[in-house]
Amino acid sequence: MADQVYREGQKARLKDGSVVEMRGGQWVPQGSARPDAVMRRQAAQALTKSRIQADQATRHLRDLDEFDRLNGKVRPTGGLISNLSIGARALLGSGDINRMAALSNTFALDERRLGSGSQSDRDLATQKSVVGGPYQAFDTNKRFVASSRQTARETIERQEFREAFLEQHGSLNGVEAAFVRSRLPKAPPAARRPSASSGWTITEVR
């Protein structure tokens, strides 16, 4: 009996009267979801969670566009004198500076990982020191915007790729490796060998 081979779909009754059937080399309760259906459902649940991050990244891009425009209007230079001037203008009700400060707070909160729980005021202050804001220099803000845009776009592109991958393959097995491969630079087409009869050739344009 130990060497007996069971065929796919074969049914058997257990001592307790329940019926099991052979699926994928193992006995499972009759009528239970097929392994591939279970994997697809689990993958869909994972994508629902990551969709929250992708939606946040979309909102983040809109905020970055607005922040970039305000940075061009305010053009902070950083340093004590500039920051004192900006602080005074903010107290006098400068809409642009106050809006930049509000967006900076949003960026600091976005740095917190989803589901990481509450954080102290010191944690938030640390995060605010590494994001763009009205008290950062113009070039510093530009670098922050460029880096954050790249991160947000990659988050969105990864989500879109994972959703398409699940639709095509029915699971997310191997999706990360496939995503990395999809982002590798495409090799240029090989130059065509010259033809003796045509008298012309194709060379790569640099």
Side-chain angles (χ1 to χ4, degrees):
M1 290 294 293
D3 297 327
Q4 183 173 349
V5 177
Y6 300 96
R7 69 178 183 279
E8 183 75 7
Q10 183 176 348
K11 296 179 176 59
R13 187 177 301 276
L14 302 180
K15 291 182 179 181
D16 62 3
S18 61
V19 178
V20 294
E21 61 180 306
M22 176 61 61
R23 290 185 187 168
Q26 60 183 348
W27 293 106
V28 298
Q30 184 181 22
S32 61
R34 296 188 61 83
D36 54 349
V38 173
M39 291 178 60
R40 188 179 186 91
R41 183 168 63 248
Q42 292 173 340
Q45 291 172 348
L47 288 183
T48 298
K49 293 180 180 179
S50 59
R51 166 52 61 186
I52 297 174
Q53 294 176 306
D55 290 343
Q56 178 179 299
T58 300
R59 293 190 298 270
H60 196 65
L61 282 176
R62 290 196 296 265
D63 289 342
L64 286 169
D65 288 341
E66 181 182 3
F67 181 85
D68 199 21
R69 290 193 298 269
L70 291 171
N71 188 49
K73 293 176 65 177
V74 176
R75 296 193 68 84
T77 60
L80 178 61
I81 296 178
S82 173
N83 288 346
L84 288 174
S85 173
I86 287 176
R89 290 163 61 191
L91 289 175
L92 293 174
S94 171
D96 291 340
I97 293 176
N98 289 334
R99 179 56 180 162
M100 281 188 76
L103 288 171
S104 180
N105 287 335
T106 299
F107 298 148
L109 291 173
D110 285 346
E111 290 293 318
R112 179 176 55 192
R113 293 182 178 179
L114 291 175
S116 62
S118 61
Q119 293 183 318
S120 67
D121 293 339
R122 179 179 297 180
D123 293 331
L124 184 58
T126 300
Q127 290 170 342
K128 289 177 67 174
S129 69
V130 298
V131 300
Y135 298 101
Q136 301 281 15
F138 173 82
D139 289 339
T140 300
N141 285 336
K142 294 293 286 187
R143 288 192 294 269
F144 164 74
V145 168
S147 175
S148 295
R149 276 178 177 154
Q150 181 178 352
T151 300
R153 286 168 179 160
E154 181 173 329
T155 298
I156 296 169
E157 290 169 4
R158 174 178 274 106
Q159 177 70 15
E160 292 174 346
F161 185 92
R162 284 161 61 88
E163 290 174 350
F165 190 94
L166 176 60
E167 185 66 26
Q168 181 177 357
H169 300 282
S171 78
L172 293 179
N173 291 340
V175 66
E176 287 304 319
F179 178 72
V180 171
R181 288 195 301 271
S182 72
R183 298 175 68 83
L184 293 176
K186 300 296 187 295
R192 184 174 177 178
R193 292 184 177 181
S195 171
S197 58
S198 65
W200 57 271
T201 185
I202 296 177
T203 57
E204 182 181 348
V205 178
R206 297 184 182 276

